[in-house]
Amino acid sequence: MRVLVIGSGAREHALLLALSRDPGVDYLAVAPGNAGTAAVAEQHDVDATSGDAVVALAQRLNADLVVIGPEVPLVLGVGDALRKAGIATFGPSKAAARIEGSKAFAKDVMTVAGVRTATSEIVDNPAHLDAALDRFGPPAGQRAWVVKDDGLAAGKGVVVTVDRDAARAHAAELLETGHPVLLESFLDGPEVSLFCVVDGETVVPLLPAQDFKRVGDNDTGPNTGGMGAYTPLPWLPAEVLTQIVEEVVKPVAAEMVSRGSAFSGLLYAGLAITSNGPAVVEFNCRFGDPETQAVLALLDSPLGTLLHAAATGTLADHPPLRWRDGSAVTVVVAAENYPGRPRVGDVITGSEAEGVLHAGTSRRDDGAIVSSGGRVLSVVGTGTDLAAARADAYRRIESIRLPGSHFRTDIGLAAAEGRISLGDQ
């Protein structure tokens, strides 16, 4: 099978590495890729948001399967263009990708499907902002204001704060740029990321993970695209995972079918495990980053076969997934000043070692690997348990040099020390 992966981040690097372990995959290409993916796949330059350009590349490469990593091409309908050209594609249609592209649409789907989520309100007029903030902040009994961009924001359009002025400033900035604002009630409890491969109403869950959005240790600082993740979750009972699949993912998948926009691809449910059970924080229409890097490190089943089954409508016939024992941890190494405007162009050393996945990297004409984005590397460690996987990841980081870079030192620490419990919720 000849596979083309679209994207340039560590998520795509992880997908390529997992695909390379599939004996059924004999050719890998990536577009546009990065300095690290060049060691795994043939690199091609392409405008990932152009359906015509991606179709032309896939046809030229005789691709049997195209895997679309980022959300923007999916929301813009690149998957539709590929399927119209008769190319098997892992990634939802433009209509189905609205579940990530529009939070208001996702809320409506959940309401009709009977899925628990935060109460919410869309604000599209600055004149209505203050009254809405009064309804959703601590004065109304909530622990914090939750302010979201209604559209795509690369994981950084959300502000959760007890400071009303900060909440108002973020909302006002979004409204000034023409973006509707979604205000939500705060959902307390530990968060879970659950990826499910979906083909209509067929749902195949992967291992649950937990990611870390805040830039600093102990969940301090602004939100980012994600600073690390770990899997599996020792504190999450198997029955709760089953509940998420049966009461959240399957009803949403069925509702999408009933709307004539059946989901085909990776449906990512971000949830809070509250005292009243799982409640959805958000849905995404693709593999999450950095959770993918940890989850795929433990996948023992052939990834290409799995993704091709979903893309061709045969997921129901796929055998049960196999997983390696133990745990995996991903730690993101970020550029100086991230999540603000990152410093780029610095030489990186130690980035070509095993377990180091590239995101914001490029190779100079002289052969040096340099930083080219905010989240530069994802370092993946594995071990017999979470503590061992953490130790492995942080040991690998010690050999990496990038001026001004930073990373969190507490990825998975609370879980490894047994400090996460649903009993307290």
Side-chain angles (χ1 to χ4, degrees):
M1 179 164 44
R2 297 172 63 85
V3 183
L4 168 63
V5 174
I6 301 299
S8 61
R11 164 184 51 214
E12 287 73 34
H13 197 171
L15 285 164
L16 289 164
L17 288 172
L19 287 164
S20 71
R21 299 193 295 265
D22 185 339
V25 174
D26 54 14
Y27 171 81
L28 281 172
V30 61
N34 57 48
T37 59
V40 190
E42 190 174 280
Q43 306 255 117
H44 296 272
D45 191 20
V46 74
D47 178 0
T49 65
S50 168
D52 289 343
V54 174
V55 167
L57 176 61
Q59 289 174 331
R60 180 159 59 86
L61 298 176
N62 293 316
D64 299 302
L65 173 67
V66 177
V67 179
I68 302 175
E71 63 272 23
V72 174
L74 294 167
V75 170
L76 293 177
V78 172
D80 301 82
L82 286 160
R83 278 184 282 268
K84 185 177 180 181
I87 301 167
T89 302
F90 185 81
S93 66
K94 179 178 181 178
R98 288 184 68 201
I99 200 158
E100 177 169 1
S102 169
K103 294 179 178 64
F105 174 80
K107 288 289 186 182
D108 184 62
V109 169
M110 286 185 276
T111 297
V112 176
V115 171
R116 289 191 65 245
T117 185
T119 57
S120 63
E121 179 178 340
I122 291 285
V123 180
D124 57 10
N125 186 331
H128 301 155
L129 178 57
D130 285 305
L133 285 169
D134 289 342
R135 286 192 288 275
F136 278 86
Q142 303 296 331
R143 286 186 54 184
W145 280 275
V146 181
V147 183
K148 297 183 177 181
D149 187 334
D150 183 52
L152 298 179
K156 292 179 282 188
V158 181
V159 165
V160 180
T161 179
V162 295
D163 184 336
R164 189 184 193 280
D165 291 340
R168 192 185 192 286
H170 181 61
E173 181 181 0
L174 292 173
L175 290 168
E176 286 172 9
T177 57
H179 290 225
V181 170
L182 183 77
L183 298 182
E184 285 188 340
S185 58
F186 180 78
L187 294 175
D188 204 355
E191 293 194 4
V192 173
S193 298
L194 182 64
F195 300 166
C196 293
V197 178
V198 174
D199 167 16
E201 294 193 42
T202 302
V203 174
V204 176
L206 307 188
L207 289 180
Q210 185 178 64
D211 75 333
F212 296 75
K213 288 294 188 188
R214 301 279 189 170
V215 71
D217 284 358
N218 301 312
D219 292 326
T220 57
N223 273 349
T224 71
M227 293 299 293
Y230 68 95
T231 189
L233 309 182
W235 50 267
L236 185 70
E239 57 267 26
V240 176
L241 180 60
T242 299
Q243 182 184 8
I244 293 169
V245 173
E246 296 296 327
E247 298 181 9
V248 175
V249 184
K250 286 186 176 180
V252 165
E255 173 59 20
M256 296 294 282
V257 170
S258 72
R259 292 179 180 226
S261 52
F263 196 97
S264 172
L266 196 289
L267 187 57
Y268 165 163
L271 311 108
I273 310 302
T274 73
S275 56
N276 295 316
V280 174
V281 176
E282 63 178 354
F283 274 106
N284 292 327
C285 65
R286 38 69 196 184
F287 280 100
D289 184 339
E291 299 101 319
T292 298
Q293 292 88 295
V295 171
L296 292 186
L298 299 181
L299 180 65
D300 197 39
S301 294
L303 179 63
T305 304
L306 173 66
L307 303 189
H308 190 264
T312 56
T314 60
L315 184 62
D317 300 324
H318 192 278
L321 298 185
R322 303 188 309 272
W323 297 94
R324 297 182 179 90
D325 293 334
S327 297
V329 171
T330 301
V331 181
V332 170
V333 177
E336 182 176 345
N337 199 45
Y338 180 79
R341 177 171 295 183
R343 171 174 153 175
V344 298
D346 289 309
V347 174
I348 310 165
T349 58
S351 65
E352 296 180 276
E354 183 180 358
V356 180
L357 308 184
H358 289 229
T361 67
S362 59
R363 193 178 290 274
R364 286 194 321 211
D365 291 342
D366 64 2
I369 295 177
V370 298
S371 59
S372 61
R375 291 190 296 171
V376 181
L377 303 168
S378 283
V379 180
V380 181
T382 56
T384 54
D385 58 19
L386 188 50
R390 273 179 40 81
D392 188 43
Y394 285 107
R395 176 185 58 79
R396 295 176 189 275
I397 286 178
E398 291 175 0
S399 64
I400 297 170
R401 296 291 179 268
L402 172 60
S405 63
H406 59 97
F407 57 88
R408 284 185 58 159
T409 66
D410 63 345
I411 304 301
L413 179 60
E417 295 179 343
R419 292 189 280 116
I420 300 180
S421 172
L422 299 186
D424 298 332
Q425 300 306 314

